[in-house]
Amino acid sequence: MPSTSRYHWGTDIDLKNLNNSYFERGLGAKEYQWLNKNAKNYGFHQVYTSKENGRTGYNMEKWHWSFMPLANQYLKFYNSNITYDDITGFTGSELADDLNIIKDFVNGVF
């Protein structure tokens, strides 16, 4: 949804394959293991993880990684400056508040 995507901040990337199953075996599993062990050393974090601990929003995305030194700053700015009044001008924007897009999706990370 426009005005709610971390990609628009320029801090988030998708890696290699958009299927969680790719990262569960073979080369994909080795890559994912390396990312979990080392990505934080470079400032990256997998933001859409399991929802078992109450995380909201998007389902797990093993391919989606965020550069946290900037993403944390942008999220703070977003939460201080963007409201549902700013999410307008496109089909479906009227649903943003009802769907709790800001609370559950923009802030539904970690």
Side-chain angles (χ1 to χ4, degrees):
M1 182 176 283
S3 303
T4 66
S5 173
R6 299 173 67 90
Y7 294 109
H8 297 168
W9 303 346
T11 61
D12 287 43
I13 59 173
D14 289 339
L15 298 175
K16 189 104 180 201
N17 194 301
L18 303 180
N19 295 296
N20 286 326
S21 60
Y22 169 80
F23 298 99
E24 294 169 2
R25 62 187 172 282
L27 180 60
K30 290 178 186 179
E31 293 165 346
Y32 189 65
Q33 182 180 18
W34 186 93
L35 287 164
N36 278 305
K37 182 179 177 184
N38 297 292
K40 65 182 173 279
N41 297 329
Y42 301 96
F44 286 90
H45 185 81
Q46 179 189 350
V47 289
Y48 299 121
T49 57
S50 170
K51 290 184 178 180
E52 292 175 3
N53 294 320
R55 190 186 63 72
T56 60
Y58 298 103
N59 291 327
M60 177 182 278
E61 295 183 354
K62 292 182 176 185
W63 63 86
H64 187 142
W65 293 76
S66 183
F67 186 65
M68 298 311 292
L70 290 178
N72 283 335
Q73 292 177 43
Y74 292 172
L75 183 59
K76 184 177 178 180
F77 178 88
Y78 186 98
N79 286 321
S80 296
N81 293 279
I82 304 298
T83 68
Y84 287 108
D85 293 335
D86 299 305
I87 304 173
T88 61
F90 58 91
T91 302
S93 62
E94 69 280 1
L95 300 173
D97 193 10
D98 292 339
L99 295 173
N100 293 313
I101 293 296
I102 293 175
K103 177 184 172 284
D104 290 344
F105 288 85
V106 175
N107 288 287
V109 296
F110 298 109

